[in-house]
Amino acid sequence: MKFREVLCRSALGVMAALSVTLLVACGGGERVDPFVPQKIVAFGDESSYIASDGRKYTINAFNTATPPVLDCKLNPIWVQYLAASFGMSFQQCPPNAQTTTFDAVNLAAANARVADVRGAIDNYLASNTVNSKHLFTVYAGQNDVIAVFEDASISNKVAAVEAIGEALAQQVNRLALAGGRVLFVPIPDVSLTPYARQQSAENQALLKTMSAQFNTKLIRFVINDGRAIGLVSAEEMSQVIAANPAFYGYTNVTAAACSASMPACTNVDADLIESARANKGASFFWSGDRYLSPAAHVRLGQIADTRTRNNPF
């Protein structure tokens, strides 16, 4: 079975009840020819990260073999979904043992913050050429928002994350100015995460403001010419689904499906909370206290795929 078919089958399993309704445009213009990237490079944090053994910061899945084997092609994260839609795969999760060439490159890192993303982009641009058929994805900032929130020494937390949002925008712009095409992701509303729901109402409100202002500055300072950069809003996705979860096929948008830590969590019952075991967390929005579920990842991947094909790159 081809890699793309495996991912699409996995996607359908968790997305049957969801519809493609979230699409945030960045810029204008009309499509002349469909954009088909020759290379995809992912920058960011755990939301885009695939470990060397194929594990991800979501619910990792065992296949139906005898005995079952952990299969990184199942429960794809959003960048896997995007890459597979163009027939690509990442070295961390090859379609088979015979594949040795990969057109998708994953440079995301666990626990990365915006400064780390800048370092990864520095290194990449110093040693690689870029052209208009190279698609970069940039998804980071949630770790920064939480770190600033938890840092008692920072008095003006909103101003601090606004500066970080602007800094990430400059990295998005660098990739576009180097000649590439870029998808960037405003982070989910952090106040809706299981992490935030453990906080006081006052702190939940603060986290909502912090994540909103981070995203506002990120979007404001990105070059918006409608040609080189496309926006894929995890913020709006999280808010719309939280407001009407049943419509999108979710039964739980407040709790983490996993009782196990990340990225160790799998779809075995021992790794999941009791209410997530029946459908292996497929109807949950969150897998961990701040990490998207497989269903949410596929949803974001669908939005990214649509944006890539429709943006006038």
Side-chain angles (χ1 to χ4, degrees):
M1 184 179 293
K2 295 181 180 179
F3 182 55
R4 179 177 177 178
E5 293 172 348
V6 173
L7 289 190
C8 289
R9 181 168 296 178
S10 176
L12 290 173
V14 295
M15 292 299 296
L18 302 183
S19 61
V20 182
T21 60
L22 279 170
L23 181 61
V24 182
C26 184
E30 296 182 357
R31 158 77 45 219
V32 177
D33 295 309
F35 176 74
V36 179
Q38 296 173 350
K39 184 177 187 178
I40 295 176
V41 183
F43 293 102
D45 56 21
E46 299 94 316
S47 296
S48 305
Y49 173 70
I50 307 171
S52 59
D53 63 357
R55 286 183 180 264
K56 299 152 291 190
Y57 279 71
T58 190
I59 303 171
N60 297 283
F62 283 94
N63 61 23
T64 57
T66 305
V69 176
L70 200 63
D71 189 346
C72 62
K73 297 184 293 296
L74 301 176
N75 287 0
I77 60 172
W78 77 284
V79 288
Q80 282 182 285
Y81 184 97
L82 176 64
S85 73
F86 291 102
M88 301 184 196
S89 60
F90 294 98
Q91 184 175 5
Q92 294 89 337
C93 186
N96 53 59
Q98 290 71 45
T99 302
T100 58
T101 302
F102 301 91
D103 294 320
V105 179
N106 195 301
L107 298 177
N111 304 310
R113 293 165 66 173
V114 168
D116 301 306
V117 172
R118 176 179 179 172
I121 292 173
D122 285 344
N123 292 336
Y124 184 85
L125 293 180
S127 56
N128 293 273
T129 57
V130 176
N131 66 50
S132 61
K133 291 296 185 178
H134 292 176
L135 177 65
F136 298 96
T137 66
V138 180
Y139 182 176
Q142 181 171 268
N143 289 336
D144 295 83
V145 168
I146 292 175
V148 170
F149 170 73
E150 293 179 345
D151 190 339
S153 70
I154 300 176
S155 58
N156 193 336
K157 298 182 184 298
V158 174
V161 297
E162 286 180 337
I164 297 169
E166 182 178 347
L168 184 59
Q170 300 309 321
Q171 301 313 306
V172 173
N173 293 342
R174 286 178 69 200
L175 293 168
L177 292 171
R181 300 296 180 259
V182 191
L183 294 180
F184 75 102
V185 183
I187 63 173
D189 183 340
V190 178
S191 73
L192 299 175
T193 63
Y195 167 84
R197 293 180 188 277
Q198 299 172 14
Q199 310 293 329
S200 67
E202 181 181 4
N203 281 337
Q204 286 182 39
L206 175 58
L207 282 166
K208 184 176 185 67
T209 300
M210 290 173 67
S211 57
Q213 288 306 111
F214 170 88
N215 286 334
T216 295
K217 292 296 184 179
L218 169 61
I219 294 168
R220 181 177 299 169
F221 285 95
V222 161
I223 297 170
N224 185 9
D225 68 350
R227 294 288 176 180
I229 299 173
L231 184 155
V232 178
S233 183
E235 178 182 42
E236 184 169 350
M237 181 185 79
S238 66
Q239 292 171 339
V240 169
I241 290 175
N244 196 356
F247 179 80
Y248 295 98
Y250 291 88
T251 60
N252 194 312
V253 294
T254 60
C258 292
S259 56
S261 61
M262 296 289 173
C265 182
T266 71
N267 60 350
V268 300
D269 285 354
D271 288 349
L272 303 172
I273 65 173
E274 185 174 357
S275 60
R277 292 171 184 168
N279 64 3
K280 306 300 184 183
S283 60
F284 277 61
F285 187 79
W286 302 103
S287 60
D289 72 343
R290 68 200 68 178
Y291 306 119
L292 298 177
S293 69
H297 267 291
V298 171
R299 181 79 192 93
L300 191 64
Q302 289 179 329
I303 299 168
D305 179 47
T306 301
R307 169 59 39 230
T308 301
R309 296 178 189 278
N310 293 341
N311 209 69
F313 285 146

